Amino acid sequence: MIALHPFRFIHAADLHLDTPFTGMTGVPDRLRSYLQDSTFAALSGLVDLAVSEQVDFIVISGDIYDASDSSLRAQLRLKEAWERLERHGIPVYVIHGNHDPLGSKVRLSFPSNVRIFGSSLESCTAVSRLNGQPVAVVSGISYASSSVTENLSRYYIRSEDSNLYHIALLHANVDGQEGHDAYAPCSLSELRESGYDYWALGHIHKRQVLSEAPWIVYPGNLQGRSMKETGAKGCYLVEVDGEGRSVLHFHELDQLRWCEIELSIEGLNSEEEWKLRTEEQLEAIRRDMEGKPAIVRFRYTGSGPLHALINSGHEARELLAELQRQEEVRVGTGSMGLLPKAIVWPAGFKLHTQAAVDREQLLGEDSFLGELFRMAEQAERKTQLLDELLEAALEPMKSDRRLRQLLKSKNAQERQEWLHLARETAASLLREEGAAGEGGR
């Protein structure tokens, strides 16, 4: 394979335009409005990047919209973006995924520079904007429905009579990544053996390069939408030289960053020290963001005298409310209708602290607390034992359908977190009870 002419393209996926952002409580109206517009602003940033970098084309690997009944606003903003690219002579190659399958409610027609692939494999030739010469074969399959369980990758067969660079657009879960629907399931080995030079994947929102020979890439989504989507979000700009060698450059496009920050309570002896350490971290994030708004959740870890106080719940709620009040004052300093760029909104706390106990001593101790810690340690290593403990403990709750569905939706990490919280809560209560008993003698 030889790419006769060097070229550049952008690989993006999972735009999820007009995501509703439900479940965010207590957020100031200005921040909520900024959040609601963030997917559109990220799309605008994608177009800006394509124009400024003078790419030859863009590929988008599914889930442009957040739902099959996409809003008119989303379609209008998308058409505006496509038309701007058309004016600059930049083609866009698109497949649809599980959130926006073919047949979804579409009110508008798109300009001629947009090529949407159908529900069976289609291919077309992309050309260099510089000289109009063919540079790549782009192939793709769109979802016909919102649930595709067939392995679509087996339809991608490289054309043997073309020495051009081959790009495959696929919205799929490779190797059954946990926490994602198993749509268009396929294996990494299948993609590697296909003969394609670049697999432009979508569906998984975490940026990942699964392989470099050939390139098998998830760019992630353009804009994080919850605490499950932390870190920088954006797209890849791919440069291909005259020999078909590729270099990838990641470009941040998110307009607002979701962050989970770990803070240890080691060495903290008072609520004031706890508050100061948290505020210092908020300011550090503000500096790191260089003006980009962020929504942060703190994950408190470690052991120390503040463990019992923090885990009582009351003090944690009060500190969070105070930090939010301070940040809301900052939000209010922005110009009319605008959000100050340096906002870092504290969205919540996750408590993973531990009681200040000698764990090694407890594990060898012939006591109820020692047995509790030994069982918890075994359950952390053995998934089956953890599942059995949780099944027994949660059995009374399963009569409620909604609670049953909620329990079923929890992944392995969340179930481990329940075990940790139960162990530490029990340890704190038993130690307090023991201390009270000693004091009464």
Side-chain angles (χ1 to χ4, degrees):
M1 183 280 305
I2 298 176
L4 300 180
H5 302 278
F7 66 98
R8 316 170 84 211
F9 70 95
I10 285 175
H11 172 202
D14 299 285
L15 280 57
H16 288 273
L17 297 178
D18 215 10
T19 294
F21 293 99
T22 57
M24 291 289 293
T25 59
V27 177
D29 289 342
R30 282 184 178 178
L31 179 56
R32 184 179 297 280
S33 177
Y34 190 91
L35 186 63
Q36 194 65 53
D37 197 54
S38 61
T39 55
F40 295 127
L43 170 63
S44 180
L46 175 67
V47 174
D48 289 342
L49 177 66
V51 172
S52 64
E53 293 290 341
Q54 300 181 7
V55 299
D56 293 283
F57 56 91
I58 298 174
V59 298
I60 300 184
S61 304
D63 285 358
I64 294 177
Y65 302 116
D66 191 62
S68 57
D69 57 343
S70 54
S71 67
L72 178 59
R73 180 170 80 142
Q75 294 189 39
L76 287 169
R77 296 287 284 272
L78 184 64
K79 183 175 183 178
E80 180 182 292
W82 289 172
E83 288 175 342
R84 185 178 170 209
L85 290 170
E86 182 186 38
R87 291 195 294 273
H88 287 272
I90 301 175
V92 186
Y93 302 104
V94 178
I95 59 171
H96 285 265
N98 56 292
H99 278 266
D100 60 350
L102 293 173
S104 300
K105 191 175 182 180
V106 178
R107 304 172 178 88
L108 306 174
S109 60
F110 292 132
S112 60
N113 63 317
V114 179
R115 169 66 186 271
I116 298 175
F117 295 102
S119 59
S120 58
L121 185 71
E122 296 177 359
S123 300
C124 60
T125 301
V127 302
S128 166
R129 292 175 60 215
L130 182 65
N131 54 29
Q133 294 298 310
V135 292
V137 174
V138 182
S139 303
I141 302 176
S142 287
Y143 281 27
S145 66
S146 60
S147 179
V148 174
T149 57
E150 181 184 9
N151 181 356
L152 298 180
S153 71
R154 65 189 181 91
Y155 294 107
Y156 289 75
I157 301 173
R158 183 188 173 106
S159 173
E160 295 296 335
D161 60 353
S162 173
N163 63 356
L164 296 177
Y165 193 88
H166 276 58
I167 302 170
L169 279 64
L170 181 64
H171 197 81
N173 189 334
V174 178
D175 284 342
Q177 296 197 35
E178 188 178 346
H180 300 272
D181 293 316
Y183 293 142
C186 58
S187 69
L188 184 58
S189 60
E190 287 176 311
L191 303 188
R192 280 177 171 159
E193 294 166 5
S194 66
Y196 279 78
D197 302 294
Y198 189 102
W199 281 91
L201 302 177
H203 184 50
I204 306 298
H205 291 185
K206 180 181 179 181
R207 174 164 43 104
Q208 301 171 69
V209 176
L210 303 182
S211 170
E212 295 185 7
W215 289 99
I216 303 174
V217 180
Y218 283 113
N221 48 342
L222 291 192
Q223 172 61 56
R225 304 175 303 149
S226 73
M227 279 297 166
K228 293 181 178 180
E229 300 177 352
T230 58
K233 299 292 182 178
C235 68
Y236 277 109
L237 190 154
V238 184
E239 295 186 285
V240 183
D241 68 15
E243 298 299 319
R245 294 181 293 252
S246 311
V247 178
L248 274 62
H249 306 277
F250 178 72
H251 288 263
E252 296 179 7
L253 294 174
D254 51 347
Q255 305 299 299
L256 176 144
R257 184 76 45 83
W258 297 80
C259 310
E260 182 168 289
I261 304 298
E262 182 174 323
L263 280 181
S264 174
I265 65 167
E266 301 280 352
L268 300 181
N269 297 297
S270 68
E271 295 98 314
E272 181 65 20
E273 291 178 355
W274 177 35
K275 176 176 179 289
L276 286 174
R277 180 169 292 183
T278 305
E279 289 177 332
E280 287 170 358
Q281 187 60 56
L282 279 171
E283 291 308 310
I285 297 168
R286 205 185 309 280
R287 291 192 298 271
D288 291 345
M289 289 296 100
E290 299 180 338
K292 180 178 293 185
I295 296 178
V296 60
R297 179 171 63 193
F298 289 103
R299 185 175 186 268
Y300 293 103
T301 60
S303 62
L306 288 181
H307 165 74
L309 179 73
I310 290 174
N311 282 271
S312 70
H314 179 69
E315 279 73 14
R317 287 192 296 272
E318 286 196 339
L319 177 58
L320 179 62
E322 175 59 19
L323 295 173
Q324 289 178 341
R325 183 196 66 79
Q326 294 174 6
E327 204 65 18
E328 191 161 3
V329 171
R330 185 186 296 271
V331 171
T333 64
S335 304
M336 184 63 67
L338 298 177
L339 181 73
K341 289 288 186 179
I343 291 300
V344 179
W345 181 257
F349 297 157
K350 290 181 76 174
L351 308 178
H352 289 269
T353 58
Q354 301 174 353
V357 298
D358 187 334
R359 283 178 147 60
E360 291 304 316
Q361 179 181 330
L362 273 176
L363 288 170
E365 192 176 275
D366 184 16
S367 65
F368 179 81
L369 194 52
E371 181 62 24
L372 173 69
F373 269 68
R374 284 191 291 275
M375 181 175 289
E377 189 172 82
Q378 291 175 18
E380 286 179 345
R381 296 195 304 265
K382 299 178 180 178
T383 304
Q384 184 178 351
L385 177 57
L386 173 58
D387 290 341
E388 290 173 359
L389 288 171
L390 288 175
E391 286 294 319
L394 300 172
E395 185 64 35
M397 303 173 64
K398 292 183 179 178
S399 58
D400 186 295
R401 181 182 59 83
R402 288 172 298 178
L403 288 175
R404 192 165 60 247
Q405 290 176 334
L406 176 64
L407 295 174
K408 191 176 180 181
S409 69
K410 299 302 178 181
N411 59 35
Q413 180 181 348
E414 290 169 315
R415 293 162 80 86
Q416 285 281 1
E417 290 174 355
W418 286 350
L419 174 67
H420 171 89
L421 181 59
R423 180 188 64 192
E424 297 305 322
T425 301
S428 296
L429 292 173
L430 288 170
R431 285 172 60 82
E432 288 172 10
E433 184 179 301
E438 290 175 5
R441 286 200 294 269

